Amino acid sequence: MRISELSAKSGVAIPTIKYYLREGMLHQGEQTAATRAEYDETHLRRLRMIRALLEVGRLSVASIKQVIAAVEDESLPTHRVLGTAHYALSPAVDPEQTEEWRSARALVDDLITELGWDITEEAPTRDELAQTIVRMRQLGLSIDLAPYVEAARGLVSEVEMDLIPFDGPRDAAVEAMVLGTVLYGRALDTLRRMAHESESARRLTP
């Protein structure tokens, strides 16, 4: 397909496609003339992944390049590729040099060990959860996470992971993982707030 058709099918403007090509985020098309190239489904799939990372994941161009580099590195297993995208989605957290922080981080590490979860030491989610626990303690909230652990484990193992096409192209798997992680996460948060309103009405309204 010509770049105009690629633009029409992907919903990405031609100048933006050319920018992705210059930046190496999108692989070059097959040159058919001095000023003409042909593109195929692999380009369309890559553009869908970039849009998912940019518009839904809210990642920077630099972070998207890291994910693309992982996708294109055939020596990396798919698990590592998805991990690169997952880590890119995590907010930056600066560990605090306090006993309160160290205690929270130790609690997170112990929880992961107790659950038998395979989480790398450098996973940003460890510090992200530790920061949340610090804030919960400061506000006097319960840090009994057992119900949330079970809900997360069930959703991921029984629903979400089955939606990722592991046997297909890796950029399609990354796109599905990012869309699922972000959008289903937002849906879950919205449904919880709706449930709060409904339960509040049930308990407090005559």
Side-chain angles (χ1 to χ4, degrees):
M1 70 186 89
R2 300 280 298 279
I3 193 170
S4 57
E5 186 180 356
L6 179 64
S7 174
K9 285 188 173 182
S10 66
V12 179
I14 291 177
T16 303
I17 292 176
K18 290 181 177 179
Y19 169 74
Y20 293 157
L21 288 166
R22 288 196 305 272
E23 292 294 313
M25 298 164 69
L26 184 66
H27 47 294
Q28 297 293 326
E30 181 182 355
Q31 207 72 29
T32 58
T35 58
R36 182 182 300 175
E38 287 290 323
Y39 303 90
D40 57 26
E41 289 299 317
T42 64
H43 296 89
L44 194 58
R45 191 164 54 241
R46 175 61 57 82
L47 285 174
R48 285 199 298 261
M49 187 190 77
I50 292 173
R51 289 191 68 179
L53 292 168
L54 184 66
E55 298 173 10
V56 178
R58 302 293 185 186
L59 298 189
S60 66
V61 169
S63 294
I64 293 174
K65 286 183 176 181
Q66 290 179 350
V67 175
I68 290 173
V71 168
E72 294 180 342
D73 185 349
E74 295 297 334
S75 69
L76 289 180
T78 301
H79 173 66
R80 285 282 303 278
V81 175
L82 293 178
T84 300
H86 234 304
Y87 290 1
L89 291 173
S90 297
V93 174
D94 292 324
E96 301 168 15
Q97 302 304 314
T98 64
E99 184 57 38
E100 191 176 31
W101 173 272
R102 287 188 285 272
S103 173
R105 177 56 196 262
L107 179 62
V108 171
D109 293 342
D110 289 345
L111 176 64
I112 291 171
T113 300
E114 178 185 336
L115 293 170
W117 283 2
D118 187 1
I119 310 294
T120 62
E121 285 296 325
E122 66 270 17
T125 45
R126 289 179 182 260
D127 285 341
E128 187 180 354
L129 183 55
Q131 184 182 62
T132 300
I133 289 172
V134 167
R135 301 296 177 257
M136 291 170 74
R137 281 176 167 170
Q138 290 173 342
L139 295 169
L141 299 175
S142 168
I143 54 170
D144 177 15
L145 300 179
Y148 300 93
V149 166
E150 288 307 308
R153 180 158 47 188
L155 283 171
V156 170
S157 63
E158 298 171 17
V159 181
E160 294 183 4
M161 292 300 282
D162 291 338
L163 301 176
I164 300 176
F166 294 116
D167 56 349
R170 301 205 296 185
D171 41 9
V174 168
E175 178 196 7
M177 188 277 292
V178 170
L179 292 176
T181 298
V182 176
L183 296 181
Y184 284 117
R186 289 178 188 168
L188 177 61
D189 181 61
T190 303
L191 288 167
R192 284 181 60 247
R193 285 184 276 117
M194 293 169 70
H196 270 283
E197 179 180 350
S198 179
E199 184 63 12
S200 174
R202 187 186 71 80
R203 295 189 183 196
L204 303 176
T205 303

